[in-house]
Amino acid sequence: MGIRQASPERSRRAHHEAEAKAKPIALKIQRYDPERDSQPHFQEFMVPVSRGTTVLDSLLYIKENLDSTLTFRASCRMGICGSCGVFINGFPYLACHTQIEELRSDKLTIKPLPNLPVIKDMVVDLTSFFNAHKSIKPYLIRHDTQEMENPTAEFIQRPRELNELLQFTTCIKCGLCLAACPTAATDKLFLGPQALAQCYRYCADNRDEGEPERLPILNADHGIWHCHLAGACSEACPKGGDPALAIQLMKRRLVSRALGFKGK
Amino acid sequence: MRMTYLWLLQLFTGGLIFVASGIHLVSIHLRVIKRFFGVETAAPVALPSANQWAGVLVFLSAIILLHALIGLRQTMLELAPSVRSGRLVTWAIIAGGIILFIGVSGLPAALFSG
């Protein structure tokens, strides 16, 4: 049995029926064009929304039909690339992963992610975010260069060893945790929950030998000890990761080292 | 590991302050507590000597200052916009802490020496 393709006429009819069922909601979007605006301002758009419409769908609708100058990042539209982070009604979300219905509001206020400089409209500068990530050496570090250059076997990792860090490997570097972090709001030099959680991901990996190299970064003045366990990062994470837990586990490793209980 | 040691010191001094506060509360309400447990003694509780009091106050001021100044440094570093200003804050707190400790520990010595 073959798949019947919908005729163009049928598709158009279905589209018009969907639009007729759609109810309009107001999207109040923060706009900022550095070439024209001295400061950010809000612009309101009425957007038809039906069941299943995501915030990204609404932004694309605005861009295609109402204001083509609206600027935002988006790519995969399935919650895996981490590009489309925005601040909706006071909380960070992935626009593609958030249905308007689940926000339970007829009026949405959409802003760029806080704690990061704004380039234009919803687009923020993630340079400092990725620099913090790079600074914790987010790769496996080993000292057996002979084995690495001429491998004789694979590095064994048992299921229970993988379980210690599996949850933290789901990070998509979307920046929502940094946007939610109250410490990052005041301390611009703070490493951030993403970098700290990923630091734990690598230090906890049994194949990694680089924890001593990462210690100076963690123990710096604006490092791990500026985390006060607000937990907003874990609440914001769209992939079910728990950066706050990773940070506390990393603190535990540091204290164990300081007291001379364990080292790797 | 400097920040880790500072954090551990913060925790340790916080614990000591908690214990000292507990001892203080018990000692000022000792008669009531003893009566609650049905212990009645006519003999008064022996109080520490003046020198011992001075020692206790110097020790208490040291741990309270350490705890407070480490916490103050952490808070101010979060607001410091640069590494350089962070260093200024650190040195200012160290200097202020030394001056405060000399002043505060000198007070009980003066009070109890006379």
Side-chain angles (χ1 to χ4, degrees), chain B residues 25-37:
Chain B
L25 280 171
V26 166
S27 61
I28 60 173
H29 296 291
L30 194 58
R31 207 165 285 171
V32 174
I33 292 168
K34 281 162 75 174
R35 211 178 300 142
F36 179 79
F37 288 106

Side-chain angles (χ1 to χ4, degrees), chain A residues 183 186-189 215 218-222 225-228 251 254-255 257-259, chain B residues 1-8 73-75 77-83 86-87 90:
Chain A
T183 300
T186 48
D187 186 352
K188 298 302 169 198
L189 301 175
L215 289 179
L218 290 173
N219 273 305
D221 277 339
H222 298 270
W225 296 107
H226 273 199
C227 169
H228 303 297
K251 283 180 185 174
L254 288 176
V255 168
R257 249 181 200 276
L259 297 175
Chain B
M1 295 300 279
R2 183 171 52 113
M3 289 300 290
T4 307
Y5 289 130
L6 274 178
W7 185 83
L8 282 170
R73 178 182 176 267
Q74 282 281 80
T75 309
L77 275 182
E78 287 191 25
L79 301 171
S82 67
V83 173
R87 272 193 220 119
T90 302

